Amino acid sequence: MNVIAEYSNIREIENIVVAPGPILLKDIADIFFGEKEETSYSRVNGKNAVTLLLMNDASTNLIELSHKAKEEINSLNKQYKSQDLEIVIQSNVAETMETNINQIISLALIGGLLAIFVLWIFLKNLRIVSIVAVAIPISVFTAFNFFYAFNITLNSLTLVGIALAVGMLLDNSVVVLENIYRLSAGNMGPDRAVTQGTREVWRSIFAGTLTTVMVFVPFLFSVNYMIKMIGQNIGISIVSTLLVSFLVALLFIPMAAHFFLKRGKNKSVFFEKVTTNNRIIQIYILFLKTSLRSPARTVIGTIVFFFLTIFISLSISVNTLKEAENDQFKVYITMPSGSNLEATDKVVRQVEDKLNAIEEKKDIISQVQEEEAIITVQLQKNFEKIANREVTDIKSSAEDNLKSISTADISLSQPISGNSYQGSANNPGTSFERLLGMGTNSERIVIKGSDFDVMEEIGRASCRER
């Protein structure tokens, strides 16, 4: 039973209505206040520990809560340092989230700067490149209004969508600018060059933007929650940013171009004059002439290349599960039925001694219950450089060392039974990783039948073959 409420005395709990009648909780259960019998142990690096799980309220910013919790932990550590007590953060989801968000933002900024740099290489006009560059922050920050309208927060998915859209933001602006200055180079006045140049290309850039928008529409109607969530977050971030960039290309870019054309003395110069002396253009002309002279070979070659790409695509397995990179792994211990807490703890200590031989280990965290236990091995930062081993190699070595312990079933793969494993079995994060083709390299075999003895024998034979 799980009741989400606060109670000041036992009588309030006794009077909880559990069924019509009314039937109160005190009618079917004995309720008392006292210390619960110890049913589990928790250790970190061999020292006794108390594990606390800090849950955030639905309306609370997880990252902000993490920062406040760290401040309180630092304060408590200073207070209890003289008593040889220390509070250590074993796992912090907010920290991982914040690191990912900061990395995505950094990559998006680098990508935007590279896109502007490439633009400058071809345009060789710093003022015009600056106009196009300003379109990026205008489009991105204006698109945040769409996030608010659709009740979407800034998270890893939306930031990935914005990062993907940064490169596409420049397309519409470049097309409008190029056409305006092409007309201006033909001695057309600034007013007419801007109005006519924008009028000639708006349908094209609108069609290009609309085709990209339509790609993400089917995701919104998916019945799968995960796919719909990914499509909604990434799709809306890309679509809203592109739609704003379309308006920027039709309004801001012509206005800025008109401003520079009015002030500029040499209005006909924008792009460098294109000549055939450019090596890239010479290669392009060579391929173009070859295609025009041999249209049949060009068509046949294109068809062959098309089927070749299909064959390569089909040869790539889409069912292969790529193991997610991680800096920790778990050891699952299952004792024979009826084992007490002391017997399980004795086996766990043996396992801890074996795991201490791992050079790359940082912390060994043990959670022991009566018939089962979970040991989490936390690896050091940059552990790959210590012995030039990946996580899979470390796990394989640990598994070989643990084979000598025969008093319990020890596995690095998550069992399908056991009370302490049920929560992690239904972990939505695991499902999300599997949706992305990532996760642990493990498979589950289910044997069904009417004869238990036969099924048990088949199961034992399968384990022996493994």
Side-chain angles (χ1 to χ4, degrees), residues 139-140 142-153 157-162 165 212-213 215-217 219-220 228-244:
S139 302
V140 171
T142 306
F144 290 162
N145 294 280
F146 288 85
F147 295 177
Y148 179 79
F150 288 95
N151 196 26
I152 294 178
T153 60
L157 292 177
T158 52
L159 289 174
V160 167
I162 292 175
T212 305
V213 169
V215 171
F216 295 94
V217 172
F219 285 90
L220 302 179
K228 186 176 181 179
M229 180 188 68
I230 294 174
Q232 186 178 25
N233 283 268
I234 296 181
I236 289 179
S237 59
I238 292 179
V239 168
S240 58
T241 309
L242 288 181
L243 289 177
V244 174

Side-chain angles (χ1 to χ4, degrees), residues 385-427:
K385 300 179 181 179
I386 297 176
N388 294 323
R389 296 195 299 179
E390 301 292 334
V391 176
T392 51
D393 301 324
I394 299 174
K395 290 171 65 176
S396 178
S397 175
E399 195 169 18
D400 293 338
N401 292 335
L402 295 175
K403 287 181 179 179
S404 59
I405 303 176
S406 58
T407 53
D409 183 14
I410 303 174
S411 174
L412 272 69
S413 302
Q414 180 177 306
I416 61 175
S417 61
N419 295 329
S420 62
Y421 308 135
Q422 295 301 317
S424 54
N426 299 321
N427 186 0

Side-chain angles (χ1 to χ4, degrees), residues 139-181:
S139 302
V140 171
F141 287 112
T142 306
F144 290 162
N145 294 280
F146 288 85
F147 295 177
Y148 179 79
F150 288 95
N151 196 26
I152 294 178
T153 60
L154 276 177
N155 51 57
S156 298
L157 292 177
T158 52
L159 289 174
V160 167
I162 292 175
L164 293 174
V166 166
M168 295 184 284
L169 294 179
L170 305 178
D171 297 344
N172 294 338
S173 300
V174 170
V175 170
V176 173
L177 267 176
E178 190 276 336
N179 200 46
I180 290 174
Y181 276 86

Side-chain angles (χ1 to χ4, degrees), residues 320-375:
T320 302
L321 187 66
K322 181 180 179 181
E323 186 158 4
E325 295 183 2
N326 206 347
D327 60 351
Q328 66 178 24
F329 63 91
K330 296 181 183 294
V331 178
Y332 301 90
I333 302 172
T334 305
M335 297 290 290
S337 179
S339 299
N340 56 29
L341 186 61
E342 287 72 19
T344 306
D345 186 52
K346 184 178 179 181
V347 175
V348 171
R349 290 185 181 275
Q350 295 178 17
V351 175
E352 288 175 344
D353 291 338
K354 298 284 186 181
L355 295 175
N356 277 322
I358 299 176
E359 299 179 58
E360 297 89 345
K361 76 173 189 315
K362 178 184 178 184
D363 295 317
I364 297 179
I365 305 163
S366 303
Q367 296 175 335
V368 188
Q369 296 187 10
E370 287 187 347
E371 296 182 1
E372 56 198 10
I374 300 178
I375 300 178

Side-chain angles (χ1 to χ4, degrees), residues 7-71:
Y7 300 95
S8 57
N9 56 67
I10 295 179
R11 190 175 301 277
E12 295 178 356
I13 302 177
E14 291 177 341
N15 294 327
I16 295 176
V17 179
V18 295
I23 298 177
L24 304 180
L25 184 60
K26 65 181 180 180
D27 298 329
I28 60 173
D30 294 328
I31 304 169
F32 61 91
F33 179 80
E35 293 185 0
K36 184 180 177 181
E37 183 181 352
E38 192 173 28
T39 59
S40 64
Y41 296 147
S42 181
R43 282 194 301 274
V44 178
N45 297 330
K47 295 183 178 180
N48 292 331
V50 176
T51 304
L52 301 177
L53 181 62
L54 184 62
M55 303 292 293
N56 67 300
D57 186 79
S59 59
T60 303
N61 186 307
L62 187 60
I63 296 177
E64 194 174 307
L65 175 63
S66 172
H67 292 165
K68 292 181 179 178
K70 285 182 179 179
E71 293 177 1

Side-chain angles (χ1 to χ4, degrees), residues 101-119 133 136 140 159 162-167 170:
I101 289 176
N102 291 336
Q103 188 173 11
I104 293 171
I105 293 174
S106 300
L107 293 175
L109 290 175
I110 294 173
L113 293 175
L114 289 176
I116 295 171
F117 176 71
V118 171
L119 201 62
I136 295 180
V140 171
L159 289 174
I162 292 175
L164 293 174
V166 166
L170 305 178

